């Protein structure tokens, strides 16, 4: 059982170091109902079918039924066992789809063939959306060749300039995602260009404050050490050669990378994605009533399936631990 919160009862209580291991964890759980807004998208349908085959999710498809069936037929996707709710208007389809999650009749919400702005409007809808009053944050999970653990990155796509309070909430959300993936007491590195506090560099001041809050018990269920430069956060050899490494709580073994702003986060995300052979990733949006799968239209079927696997273990942890 994992510490710090009520854990998920798994067949094997081991740290997930790959998406295969996350999917293996999901297979020991009841399949989660997945609501997809405007599902007439080829890759989304392939991902939904794959997720159903793996036991990750039971998809409910909202959108133009004729288009959904035509696209599925063209791509050889079997829709057996998937409910289709026919709604030709994209906005209405998104509101019906998010409403299913809002009402507790589905546990995950996924973007299909509609603009991100319209999708987010459904997420934030006051009547039927998934608002909680918390900061929304995009969590990216990377499986990188040569690194023996998953890396959790935030925020790389949603919050332009997170405040200190935003960063505290982001850490709490990332810790929950990491815990759901089997990472016990994850190590969190608030990143900056340097690893010393400099009053002229606000990112270092805020990183130091987050570390202090962790030591004081305000930020729980994790280890926070910062400010840290990126190399000291993820490279044990670099960290070991740094003066004062023996006093650090993180020496190249961070699980969670917290970026000072979206520019740093997005640049690192795209550098890893486009320059690292064999890298795999998944993404979810947190701060909502239920996990939201917000992937790009250009993302591969594999990325979408990985994202659904992460959403499924998070949904189970939400249920088991009663997160608010």
């Amino acid at each position: 059982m994992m510490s710090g919160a009520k854990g998920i009862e798994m067949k094997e209580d081991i740290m997930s170091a790959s998406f295969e291991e996350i999917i293996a964890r999901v297979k020991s759980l009841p399949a989660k109902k997945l609501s997809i807004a405007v599902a007439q998208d080829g890759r989304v349908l392939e991902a939904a079918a794959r997720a159903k085959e793996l036991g990750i999710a039971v998809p409910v498809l909202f959108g133009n039924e004729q288009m959904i069936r035509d696209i599925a037929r063209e791509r050889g996707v079997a829709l057996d066992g998937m409910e289709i709710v026919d709604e030709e208007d994209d906005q209405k389809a998104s509101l019906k789809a998010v409403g299913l999650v809002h009402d507790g009749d589905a546990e995950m919400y996924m973007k299909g063939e509609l603009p991100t702005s319209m999708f987010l409007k459904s997420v934030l809808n006051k009547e039927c959306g998934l608002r909680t009053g918390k900061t929304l944050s995009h969590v990216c999970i990377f499986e990188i060749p040569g690194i023996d653990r998953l890396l959790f990155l935030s925020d790389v796509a949603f919050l332009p300039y997170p405040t200190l309070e935003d960063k505290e909430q982001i850490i709490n959300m990332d810790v929950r995602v990491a815990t759901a993936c089997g990472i016990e007491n994850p190590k969190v590195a608030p990143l900056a260009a340097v690893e010393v506090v400099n009053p002229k560099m606000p990112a270092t001041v805020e990183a130091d404050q987050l570390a202090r809050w962790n030591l004081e018990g305000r930020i729980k269920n994790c280890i926070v050490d910062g400010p840290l430069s990126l190399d000291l956060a993820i490279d044990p050899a670099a960290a070991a050669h740094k003066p004062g490494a023996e006093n650090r709580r993180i020496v190249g073994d961070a699980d969670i990378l917290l970026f000072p702003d979206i520019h740093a986060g997005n640049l690192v995300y795209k550098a890893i994605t486009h320059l690292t052979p064999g890298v795999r990733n998944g993404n979810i949006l947190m701060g909502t009533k239920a996990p939201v799968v917000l992937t790009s239209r250009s993302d591969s079927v594999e990325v979408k399936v990985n994202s659904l696997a992460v959403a499924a273990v998070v949904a189970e942890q939400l249920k088991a631990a009663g997160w608010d």
Side-chain angles (χ1 to χ4, degrees):
M1 188 73 71
M2 294 169 289
S3 66
K6 295 180 182 178
I8 304 173
E9 291 293 341
M10 296 289 182
K11 292 180 179 178
E12 294 184 359
D13 190 18
I14 58 174
M15 179 179 71
S16 296
S18 68
F19 284 105
E20 278 82 5
E21 290 173 5
I22 293 177
I23 291 171
R25 296 172 75 85
V26 174
K27 287 182 177 179
S28 69
L29 306 171
K32 301 293 179 286
K33 185 167 284 188
L34 167 67
S35 182
I36 304 178
V38 191
Q40 54 263 29
D41 176 280
R43 289 182 178 177
V44 169
L45 289 175
E46 287 187 40
R50 181 64 176 150
K52 185 176 183 300
E53 177 185 344
L54 290 169
I56 295 172
V58 179
V60 181
L61 313 177
F62 289 81
N64 186 311
E65 181 172 3
Q66 188 58 56
M67 291 181 66
I68 290 171
R69 294 193 180 281
D70 288 346
I71 292 171
R73 189 179 306 110
E74 290 171 4
R75 299 181 78 104
V77 175
L79 299 178
D80 300 343
M82 298 189 205
E83 180 184 354
I84 301 177
V85 179
D86 187 26
E87 176 53 72
E88 295 185 9
D89 183 276
D90 289 353
Q91 183 175 14
K92 291 180 180 178
S94 67
L95 292 177
K96 288 180 180 179
V98 78
L100 193 71
V101 185
H102 175 273
D103 294 341
D105 295 320
E107 296 145 298
M108 304 185 293
Y109 184 42
M110 184 178 190
K111 175 181 174 292
E113 182 64 27
L114 77 167
T116 297
S117 59
M118 183 182 295
F119 181 75
L120 289 174
K121 283 182 180 178
S122 70
V123 170
L124 299 174
N125 186 278
K126 292 181 179 179
E127 283 75 36
C128 62
L130 305 176
R131 295 163 63 114
T132 63
K134 294 184 178 180
T135 298
L136 298 185
S137 178
H138 189 265
V139 185
C140 177
I141 303 92
F142 272 116
E143 179 188 332
I144 302 174
I147 296 181
D148 63 356
R149 64 197 181 278
L150 295 171
L151 288 180
F152 300 76
L153 280 62
S154 282
D155 186 308
V156 303
F158 200 81
L159 280 176
Y161 300 102
T163 65
L164 178 60
E165 290 71 24
D166 289 334
K167 290 176 182 178
E168 180 184 12
Q169 290 193 42
I170 290 171
I171 289 174
N172 289 334
M173 287 184 281
D174 282 13
V175 167
R176 288 173 171 181
V177 175
T179 300
C181 291
I183 316 301
E184 185 175 350
N185 205 32
K187 295 185 175 183
V188 183
L191 298 176
V194 296
E195 62 278 358
V196 294
V197 178
N198 183 338
K200 294 183 179 181
M201 302 175 73
T204 67
V205 176
E206 293 186 352
D208 180 65
Q209 184 60 64
L210 293 166
R212 290 176 185 274
W213 281 345
N214 177 239
L215 289 171
E216 293 166 0
R218 173 167 167 170
I219 299 176
K220 305 177 186 301
N221 305 323
C222 61
I223 295 170
V224 182
D225 185 11
L228 284 177
S229 56
L230 180 59
D231 56 340
L232 299 192
I234 64 172
D235 185 349
H241 286 88
K242 197 71 178 179
E246 66 277 5
N247 298 319
R248 283 290 188 183
R249 304 176 77 200
I250 295 176
V251 282
D253 55 353
D255 301 295
I256 297 171
L257 305 180
L258 175 68
F259 293 97
D261 58 42
I262 200 170
H263 301 292
N266 195 264
L267 287 169
V268 170
Y269 168 82
K270 288 180 178 174
I272 294 173
T273 301
H274 295 283
L275 299 177
T276 307
V279 69
R280 302 176 66 193
N281 73 288
N283 313 275
I284 64 170
L285 185 67
M286 290 288 288
T288 48
K289 183 178 178 181
V292 173
V293 178
L294 176 57
T295 54
S296 170
R297 292 180 183 178
S298 62
D299 281 333
S300 68
V301 172
E302 181 187 57
V303 169
K304 296 179 191 298
V305 173
N306 291 341
S307 302
L308 288 169
V310 173
V313 292
V314 170
E316 182 68 16
Q317 192 73 305
L318 282 166
K319 178 181 177 182
W323 295 339
D324 54 15

